[in-house]
Amino acid sequence: MRLSARNRLKGKIVEVTKGQTTAHVRIDVNGTIVTAAITNESVDELGLKVGMGAYAVVKASDVMVGVD
Amino acid sequence: MRLSARNRLKGKIVEVTKGQTTAHVRIDVNGTIVTAAITNESVDELGLKVGMGAYAVVKASDVMVGVD
Amino acid sequence: MRLSARNRLKGKIVEVTKGQTTAHVRIDVNGTIVTAAITNESVDELGLKVGMGAYAVVKASDVMVGVD
Amino acid sequence: MRLSARNRLKGKIVEVTKGQTTAHVRIDVNGTIVTAAITNESVDELGLKVGMGAYAVVKASDVMVGVD
Amino acid sequence: MRLSARNRLKGKIVEVTKGQTTAHVRIDVNGTIVTAAITNESVDELGLKVGMGAYAVVKASDVMVGVD
Amino acid sequence: MRLSARNRLKGKIVEVTKGQTTAHVRIDVNGTIVTAAITNESVDELGLKVGMGAYAVVKASDVMVGVD
């Protein structure tokens, strides 16, 4: 499926932590860690594991801009 | 202000396009373009311009995971 | 790409309205109209047009529950 | 209260799973399961239970579009 | 309709600005201005006008925490 | 860091509840309780505790409008 979400950052999964309903998946994107909070079911369905290649995907309306 | 949002991707602004209410700001993060849809007022208040350093900031609950 | 987002509602596009930066795409899902606010660029890149089959895709953390 | 959120999908609750803070509520909407991740407090306050009629409510800016 | 969204801030509308698709509605909540970016259609359907009482409604997963 | 997010509501933290991955932080904003669902890691990193001053921060595109 091709998706409207603009932002896809390629990296490698470095941590998968499941809670009771919500999991945190950490993806190393060129040395920056991106954290995704997704459902445990998504982790199981996609078979997410440390060491796998993965994309952090974000809709443009969910991106803020910060400046120093 | 220090913020709870987990994800901060450092880059450089490569495009600022204002609509009537919503602006699109494109940030080059290590060669990947990240698009942020923010208000025109934020663009003005932060003085966002092409060439400036900036961060794409995303809350963990707004990050999805994709796999090939 | 397989995606962690839990919710995919299949339907047919019944309206595409572009603004200056943000487009509204309306999808008929079993007789209920679902409105998506996405970037004009996504509309162009995916070639979205009235009459096409499409999915409304929503992350679980963006779904609220209402009761009468 | 009348709400600006554009999308209301009517269905029936088929599963309620509470975690320590976050609950997953699954709603059958015409045969498609929609998952909502909401707070445990909302589940209690609204008295959400399997078999109840309910709406999945989503803001237009949180809907993406996918095509095959 | 009763809604799972946890946060309802009562105030008065002080500005309504329509773009081509997206409107900005500003609500004065005890002296703090809250900006909502919603569809033009919602503004029309709810009849939003300067001077009306209104609530800013936010899902808990969309609230970040900042500290000085 | 200065941030594009339009909405900052100043208050005092009245409750911090950690789950296994997701925490709920409740902030009293002029007598209205605002609930934020954030990661446990953010709670630790910012040192969030009952009694601290804090801001509820919300992107404009995540604010809905309700009317009675």
Side-chain angles (χ1 to χ4, degrees), chain A residues 1-6 8 37-39 41-43 45-48 52 55 57 59-62, chain C residues 1-6 8 37-39 41-43 45-48 52 55 57 59-62:
Chain A
M1 191 175 68
R2 293 184 302 137
L3 192 71
S4 62
R6 290 296 77 194
R8 279 154 242 201
I38 63 175
T39 62
E41 288 74 18
S42 294
V43 170
E45 193 186 286
L46 298 179
L48 302 179
M52 278 176 66
Y55 296 86
V57 180
K59 195 174 186 303
S61 53
D62 288 327
Chain C
M1 191 175 68
R2 293 185 301 139
L3 192 71
S4 62
R6 289 297 80 194
R8 277 154 245 201
I38 64 175
T39 61
E41 288 74 17
S42 293
V43 170
E45 193 186 286
L46 299 179
L48 302 179
M52 278 176 67
Y55 297 86
V57 180
K59 196 174 186 301
S61 52
D62 288 327

Side-chain angles (χ1 to χ4, degrees), chain F residues 6-23:
Chain F
R6 290 295 80 193
N7 303 305
R8 279 153 242 202
L9 295 150
K10 197 172 187 170
K12 186 181 275 196
I13 296 174
V14 292
E15 194 182 314
V16 177
T17 309
K18 278 186 175 180
Q20 282 189 270
T21 51
T22 309

Side-chain angles (χ1 to χ4, degrees), chain B residues 1-6 8 37-39 41-43 45-48 52 55 57 59-62, chain F residues 1-6 8 37-39 41-43 45-48 52 55 57 59-62:
Chain B
M1 191 175 67
R2 292 185 302 136
L3 191 72
S4 62
R6 290 296 78 196
R8 276 154 245 201
I38 64 175
T39 61
E41 287 74 16
S42 294
V43 170
E45 193 185 288
L46 298 179
L48 302 180
M52 279 176 66
Y55 297 86
V57 180
K59 196 174 185 303
S61 53
D62 288 327
Chain F
M1 192 175 67
R2 293 184 302 138
L3 191 72
S4 62
R6 290 295 80 193
R8 279 153 242 202
I38 64 175
T39 62
E41 287 75 16
S42 294
V43 170
E45 192 185 288
L46 298 179
L48 302 179
M52 278 175 67
Y55 297 86
V57 179
K59 195 174 186 302
S61 52
D62 288 327

